[in-house]
Amino acid sequence: MTAPKLDCSNIVEFIADIFERRGAESYLGEPVSMSEHMLQGAVLAETDGAPEELVAAALLHDIGHYTSEFGPMSLGDERDNYHEESGAKVLAPFFPPVITECVRLHVPAKRYLCATDKGYYDRLSEASKHTLLLQGGPMNADEVRDFEANPFHREAVRVRIWDDEGKRPGVETPAFRHYVPLLQRVVEGQAKAI
Ligand code: FE
């Protein structure tokens, strides 16, 4: 199936359709499905009183696992390894930079927290500890400095922590549809800003 021509009027519906068709897929060795994981992240963000952009970022941070749905605009889409980069890339035409940067940085944020927060590594899931090795392990001092130079690094750390916490089996969340109006507001806000 080829992707339709996407714009700010149909991108949210396009993403909702992906979630509804594929959200039940497993999440890399975690005890929750992809959609349970992403929806739990969004609920945690809301519970923390985060702004709508960060709720959207928490909800969409793993969209890179589905970038094959977006057609030839995404590169490297069969590989999970760089799902943060490909996810940011498919969102970039429609969503504000704070969201695309949180998506792009959610893996580096794990490496950052492992380098800067002593208890963080121990709180990671086994699957996340395993992928940390493939992702380069904890950041070194130069990488920490570069990460902190990103204007959205604090937001990216918040999204990362919701990502880590959103892996609990059996937690009730709203359906993806609940977030469609929020996502549409964020997309329209960005369309007006450019
Ligand atoms: Fe995740």
Side-chain angles (χ1 to χ4, degrees), residues 27-28 30 34 37-38 58 61-63 65 83 106-107 128 159-160 162-164 166-167:
Y27 177 41
L28 309 170
E30 303 287 1
M34 283 300 295
H37 169 59
M38 295 167 82
H61 76 274
D62 274 333
I63 193 79
H65 291 299
H83 75 282
H106 82 273
V107 172
S128 213
V159 170
R160 178 70 222 184
W162 299 320
D163 178 4
D164 295 323
K167 300 178 177 181

Side-chain angles (χ1 to χ4, degrees), residues 26-55:
S26 68
Y27 177 41
L28 309 170
E30 303 287 1
V32 288
S33 69
M34 283 300 295
S35 66
E36 285 171 318
H37 169 59
M38 295 167 82
L39 288 163
Q40 285 184 27
V43 169
L44 289 162
E46 281 186 308
T47 308
D48 265 7
E52 290 198 328
E53 283 84 359
L54 295 193
V55 176

Side-chain angles (χ1 to χ4, degrees), residues 167-183:
K167 300 178 177 181
R168 298 191 185 144
V171 170
E172 290 274 333
T173 66
F176 186 85
R177 290 273 151 202
H178 170 77
Y179 293 103
V180 163
L182 179 152
L183 291 174

